Amino acid sequence: MADPTTDTDVVDELTSDHREATALLDQILASSDPQARRDMADTVITELVRHSVAEEMYVYPAIEELFPDGKQVVQHDIEEHKELERTMKELEGCSAEDARFTALVGELRDQLHHHATDEETEQFPELRARVPRERLVRMREQVDTAKKIAPTRPHPGAPNNEVFHKLVGPGVGLMDRVRDKLTGGKTKA
């Protein structure tokens, strides 16, 4: 049985995701091996898409409900997610040997840093102040589950909201995973 006093909560999980993605982007920038760069880029794209979808499904509704300016906070974050998705989509279709690849990785890193800083310095402390620890642990469990069924590729044209992700997202995620399996994760769609 989960112990909410010792289990990690949703803030811990999402902060860890930010750190891991940033570290991977730094590794891409430091590498000169095109295949390793491509593989790491595909991994970071998958993880950031899953992170974003899970956040939109379970964290943003809580922010919207509990923060005095929740709707505006969520709208701002969704706009940042769209920006990240557009960059990821462009990166997904770019050869690791193309000069634009490095520029896109740097752009993605800058966008992620900005977004993560906003969340970690403003929203996450407020979330912890407004949401009981047990609920934060439960939200982390929901986020973990959502990541397992979430899409693995950016879909910048899709809605970034809880209802879409809960109703359509699992089907999109399944199609992405089938495509990943059939192509070894190398499709640039």
Side-chain angles (χ1 to χ4, degrees), residues 14-70:
L14 297 176
T15 301
S16 176
D17 287 354
H18 293 159
R19 299 285 178 275
E20 290 171 13
T22 300
L24 201 49
L25 290 165
D26 287 341
Q27 287 178 33
I28 295 168
L29 292 170
S31 176
S32 59
D33 176 354
Q35 187 58 54
R37 288 165 52 93
R38 174 80 268 155
D39 291 346
M40 287 186 283
D42 291 343
T43 298
V44 80
I45 288 167
T46 296
E47 294 311 313
L48 283 175
V49 168
R50 288 176 173 168
H51 168 96
S52 297
V53 166
E55 205 169 47
E56 290 167 7
M57 287 173 71
Y58 294 104
V59 178
Y60 291 178
I63 289 173
E64 208 168 282
E65 170 195 345
L66 300 170
F67 288 28
D69 59 346

Side-chain angles (χ1 to χ4, degrees), residues 98-183:
D98 187 321
R100 180 87 178 110
F101 185 89
T102 299
L104 287 167
V105 170
E107 188 177 326
L108 184 60
R109 192 195 185 292
D110 290 347
Q111 290 168 341
L112 176 61
H113 176 74
H114 171 81
H115 181 69
T117 299
D118 281 354
E119 287 184 338
E120 292 172 20
T121 60
E122 297 168 24
Q123 296 164 21
F124 290 173
E126 189 168 348
L127 197 62
R128 278 198 168 134
R130 293 179 177 278
V131 178
R133 173 94 180 134
E134 299 77 27
R135 182 172 173 191
L136 291 173
V137 171
R138 210 169 36 254
M139 286 169 66
R140 193 251 320 136
E141 293 165 356
Q142 292 170 315
V143 161
D144 285 345
T145 300
K147 285 180 186 178
K148 292 175 186 162
I149 61 168
T152 60
R153 297 164 182 263
H155 297 278
N160 290 64
N161 64 56
E162 173 190 14
V163 173
F164 177 83
H165 292 313
K166 286 182 177 176
L167 294 178
V168 181
V172 173
L174 176 63
M175 293 308 298
D176 283 353
R177 284 187 294 285
V178 167
R179 190 169 58 177
D180 291 344
K181 182 121 176 117
L182 292 174
T183 64

Side-chain angles (χ1 to χ4, degrees), residues 38 45 88-95 98 104 187-189:
R38 174 80 268 155
I45 288 167
M88 287 187 287
K89 191 67 176 172
E90 195 174 342
L91 180 60
E92 185 181 54
C94 187
S95 166
D98 187 321
L104 287 167
T187 302
K188 294 166 186 71

